[in-house]
Amino acid sequence: MTALPARRAARQLRLRSVTEADLDALALLDREAFPEEPYPYFVLRQMYDVYPDHLLVLDDGTALKGYVLVGTRPDKSRSWILGLGITRDERGRGYGRRLMEEVLGRLRGIGVREVLLTVAPSNAAAILLYETLGFTAEQTVRKDYFGPGADRLVMRLRL
């Protein structure tokens, strides 16, 4: 068994709720994860104000490495995964799964019955992750879901 490099061995990723002090770093992370269409800062700010318990981050003590953002209806009948982003250098290590499992557990705990999300039809890695978590895709891709040329696949999980 080989030892991990010192940088990896010393670092502990902590999953936690976002704080107001994290908003600048969260905006940077979102721009890295989604360079073509990141959330504007003011949207992240409003999401923090509205859904603070469902905006989770992975923090290595020096930087944010991932986040998941969920919006839930007031009656808790349905939630939407509004964003799941991991920094480029940390992709493929299971951090997206870790964030999703945590947030899905929290949603089950408050009685949410259904979770939906959208994903780019070309994002095979994300689709596979969501399928392994139990999400199923609608039969057809929704053309222009986010505007001209922004097609999305809608996926659903019944809790």
Side-chain angles (χ1 to χ4, degrees):
M1 184 158 146
T2 59
L4 293 173
R7 181 176 84 66
R8 286 269 180 230
R11 189 183 70 168
Q12 292 290 323
L13 280 176
R14 186 169 66 113
L15 193 152
R16 62 177 176 78
S17 295
V18 75
T19 67
E20 188 171 10
D22 293 322
L23 291 176
D24 287 336
L26 179 61
L28 288 172
L29 167 58
D30 190 61
R31 278 195 297 271
E32 180 183 336
F34 303 102
E36 284 102 36
E37 293 187 348
Y39 279 121
Y41 180 92
F42 79 90
V43 170
L44 292 171
R45 172 65 210 207
Q46 289 174 330
M47 294 298 184
Y48 166 76
D49 289 339
V50 175
Y51 305 115
D53 296 331
H54 295 144
L55 179 48
L56 306 177
V57 295
L58 282 173
D59 180 356
D60 75 355
T62 61
L64 299 183
K65 297 297 183 175
Y67 81 95
V68 63
L69 169 61
V70 178
T72 300
R73 286 185 175 176
D75 68 0
K76 298 181 182 155
S77 63
R78 178 181 287 171
S79 292
W80 279 87
I81 305 295
L82 302 172
L84 174 66
I86 307 295
T87 58
R88 275 184 236 113
D89 64 321
E90 299 294 352
R91 290 181 186 160
R93 298 175 196 252
Y95 298 149
R97 174 175 300 282
R98 182 175 170 192
L99 284 161
M100 287 294 293
E101 287 174 346
E102 177 67 23
V103 83
L104 291 173
R106 289 182 183 202
L107 294 173
R108 278 186 192 95
I110 63 169
V112 171
R113 297 184 303 270
E114 180 179 55
V115 180
L116 291 103
L117 58 82
T118 69
V119 61
S122 62
N123 191 342
I127 292 168
L128 180 60
L129 168 64
Y130 300 138
E131 286 175 343
T132 64
L133 291 167
F135 284 83
T136 57
E138 289 185 350
Q139 292 296 322
T140 59
V141 170
R142 297 233 193 141
K143 297 289 184 195
D144 302 327
Y145 187 87
F146 283 140
D151 303 341
R152 302 298 279 186
L153 182 63
V154 177
M155 300 186 79
R156 177 183 320 267
L157 173 66
R158 299 210 189 276
L159 297 179

